[in-house]
Amino acid sequence: PLAPLSNSTAPYSGRFQLIDQETGQPIGGRKVKVWSSAGWSTLDTTNGEGMTSWVNHDTSHAIYIGLVQGDEA
């Protein structure tokens, strides 16, 4: 299961930063879906620096990100 989205000391952790390709500036307030190769997923919103919340696990899994469009959830 997904651990709380915080900057903890889990042995495996990661997060994403969204950057506007044209301006090079972070994209804050963007709704995203984050999921793993283990099968869990969560919806998140990037902060003012364009960062997602931390994802923390006790085992290694690939994590992915996708932009949430409109009312998609």
Side-chain angles (χ1 to χ4, degrees), residues 18-27:
L18 295 184
I19 300 290
D20 186 300
Q21 290 182 346
E22 292 180 15
T23 66
Q25 297 299 309
I27 303 173

Side-chain angles (χ1 to χ4, degrees), residues 15-21 24-33 44-52 65-68:
R15 65 182 182 166
F16 294 94
Q17 183 179 35
L18 295 184
I19 300 290
D20 186 300
Q21 290 182 346
Q25 297 299 309
I27 303 173
R30 185 66 163 90
K31 193 170 187 180
V32 296
K33 179 179 179 180
D44 196 12
T45 301
T46 58
N47 67 16
E49 296 176 346
M51 302 297 294
T52 63
I65 188 170
L67 301 177
V68 175

Side-chain angles (χ1 to χ4, degrees), residues 28-72:
R30 185 66 163 90
K31 193 170 187 180
V32 296
K33 179 179 179 180
V34 180
W35 71 96
S36 82
S37 59
W40 61 261
S41 67
T42 188
L43 294 176
D44 196 12
T45 301
T46 58
N47 67 16
E49 296 176 346
M51 302 297 294
T52 63
S53 299
W54 282 94
V55 175
N56 302 293
H57 286 278
D58 291 328
T59 57
S60 176
H61 300 285
I63 57 174
Y64 307 94
I65 188 170
L67 301 177
V68 175
Q69 302 298 324
D71 60 355
E72 180 184 343

